[in-house]
Amino acid sequence: MIVRDLHEAEQTRRRVVTKGWESTRLLLKEDQMGFSFHMTTIYAGSELPMHYQNHLESVYCVSGEGSIEDIATGEVHQIKPGVMYALDKHDKHILRAKSEMKMACVFNPPLNGLEVHDETGAYPLEAETV
Ligand code: 9YT
């Protein structure tokens, strides 16, 4: 069994801070669960174009409000606590945070640890471990 405390993990290299967001990776590839699990904070006012070409991601909003735009269709969905979205088609999207948003995120395949977006909005398949 694996038990980890978010508050302790935030004091380690599991916490990745970059422009517009930060994410603490609670489960990673090395844990051999087949997915990674993160608690992500999107900073208020952030506008994040993303395109996870190498990963599937699902995201559950715990707190805060914003929206997600599906670039393929132009549809905009409101995000608030209780709403989940899944990028089942590697959907190109823009996430906008009206207020600070706390999101629980799952990635398949699992992240190695220190991934941040490249210029296309994707994560590489292999990155440095924590
Ligand atoms: C919601 C989202 O995709 N935010 C970017 C960070 C990502 N969730 C991560 O690496 O944890």
Side-chain angles (χ1 to χ4, degrees), residues 89-109:
K89 298 182 181 66
H90 302 276
D91 313 78
K92 198 172 180 179
H93 62 287
I94 302 175
L95 187 62
R96 296 183 173 93
K98 221 182 282 174
S99 58
E100 180 179 281
M101 296 197 290
K102 300 274 185 196
M103 319 286 258
C105 311
V106 173
F107 276 76
N108 170 22

Side-chain angles (χ1 to χ4, degrees), residues 16-22 41-43 45-49 116-117:
V16 173
V17 181
T18 185
K19 197 170 178 290
W21 58 270
E22 63 174 80
T41 301
I42 312 289
Y43 302 144
S46 294
E47 179 167 318
L48 305 174
V116 290
H117 299 116

Side-chain angles (χ1 to χ4, degrees), residues 1-128:
M1 186 183 296
I2 301 166
V3 178
R4 291 197 179 111
D5 182 326
L6 175 64
H7 301 101
E8 288 172 16
E10 282 171 346
Q11 308 306 315
T12 71
R13 274 161 59 88
R14 290 177 177 281
R15 177 171 176 243
V16 173
V17 181
T18 185
K19 197 170 178 290
W21 58 270
E22 63 174 80
S23 187
T24 301
R25 278 97 189 234
L26 286 167
L27 284 173
L28 288 165
K29 184 177 178 181
E30 65 188 14
D31 296 310
Q32 299 186 310
M33 293 288 290
F35 57 86
S36 57
F37 177 69
H38 325 159
M39 284 304 301
T40 298
T41 301
I42 312 289
Y43 302 144
S46 294
E47 179 167 318
L48 305 174
M50 293 180 271
H51 189 196
Y52 293 119
Q53 297 166 79
N54 301 315
H55 298 86
L56 299 171
E57 184 195 25
S58 72
V59 178
Y60 175 82
C61 179
V62 176
S63 65
E65 288 192 19
S67 65
I68 182 169
E69 179 177 346
D70 182 336
I71 299 299
T73 64
E75 264 183 299
V76 176
H77 306 273
Q78 298 307 309
I79 305 293
K80 60 184 182 180
V83 174
M84 183 280 307
Y85 64 85
L87 304 168
D88 62 326
K89 298 182 181 66
H90 302 276
D91 313 78
K92 198 172 180 179
H93 62 287
I94 302 175
L95 187 62
R96 296 183 173 93
K98 221 182 282 174
S99 58
E100 180 179 281
M101 296 197 290
K102 300 274 185 196
M103 319 286 258
C105 311
V106 173
F107 276 76
N108 170 22
L111 299 198
N112 281 0
L114 299 185
E115 287 87 345
V116 290
H117 299 116
D118 67 15
E119 62 289 347
T120 70
Y123 288 155
L125 259 181
E126 292 300 336
E128 207 185 331

